[in-house]
Amino acid sequence: QQPVQSPQAVILREGEDAVINCSSSKALYSVHWYRQKHGEAPVFLMILLKGGEQKGHEKISASFNEKKQQSSLYLTASQLSYSGTYFCGTGPTSGTYKYIFGTGTRLKVLA
Amino acid sequence: NAGVTQTPKFQVLKTGQSMTLQCAQDMNHEYMSWYRQDPGMGLRLIHYSVGAGITDQGEVPNGYNVSRSTTEDFPLRLLSAAPSQTSVYFCASSLDGTSGIETQYFGPGTRLLVL
């Protein structure tokens, strides 16, 4: 079952902040975040591990609450280059080695 | 390093035809996987492999076959193409997919249109 992301789409002005949420029905060991520009392949942003470890990338940070099986991606002072579709992905769980991605959140940053 | 390469970039098939989407990586990655991407559906896992000779089904495996005879290559076969298989297909690899902490590297994708 795919993780559910919210919102599905968001439009921002340059300099504004945004939060993208990812919720899973299964217990999570790790959460991965990727960004995909239109017509391109997804590119890795960061990974969060069980235990609450947070990692950041430029002005993008994320959190992981394993009890709630949720992760959030925080984009601060957004730039035009942040436009794209963001995916959360969940790492292997319960003896399988499947990486399952969420439904995606389309982010558009306007000048 | 070329990274993850996919061929062809674009393909048009007629219903019922078969074809193989090629994927290769030169990073000595053990883990490889195939996803399809449809509007509003995100990336859905078709098949994956944790090493040469070992493959397993993902979330949407019907209509697709895979094999992994070498570490480098992971082809995806469409046995009898259907319009529902019109999609963008991405191949991805990571050093070790069993740990859950490895970055996945994606290929540029193959756009498939089934008429």
Side-chain angles (χ1 to χ4, degrees), chain A residues 36 56 69 75 77 79 111:
Chain A
Q36 183 181 31
Q69 296 165 188
L75 297 92
Q79 306 168 8

Side-chain angles (χ1 to χ4, degrees), chain B residues 56-76:
Chain B
D56 205 349
Q57 294 182 350
E59 303 294 284
V60 288
N62 292 341
Y64 307 95
N65 274 359
V66 292
S67 60
R68 184 100 179 267
S69 57
T70 67
T71 300
E72 295 78 19
D73 300 298
F74 191 43
L76 178 72

Side-chain angles (χ1 to χ4, degrees), chain A residues 1-2 26 29-32 34 36 38-44 47 49 85 87 91-92 95-104 106, chain B residues 31 33 35 37 40-45 48 50 56-59 90 94 96-109 111:
Chain A
Q1 239 175 343
Q2 285 183 285
K26 296 184 177 181
Y29 172 76
S30 63
V31 177
H32 306 229
Y34 289 76
Q36 183 181 31
H38 182 69
E40 300 180 5
V43 174
F44 175 79
I47 180 173
L49 304 178
T85 301
F87 293 99
T96 72
Y97 301 118
K98 298 179 182 180
Y99 282 82
I100 306 298
F101 284 89
T103 48
R106 296 187 308 278
Chain B
Y31 187 90
S33 55
Y35 294 88
Q37 185 173 32
M41 302 293 289
L43 294 156
R44 291 185 291 168
L45 181 64
Y48 67 96
V50 298
D56 205 349
Q57 294 182 350
E59 303 294 284
F90 287 100
S94 62
D96 173 13
T98 60
S99 68
I101 62 173
E102 297 291 341
T103 302
Q104 290 207 76
Y105 296 87
F106 283 82
R111 292 183 177 274

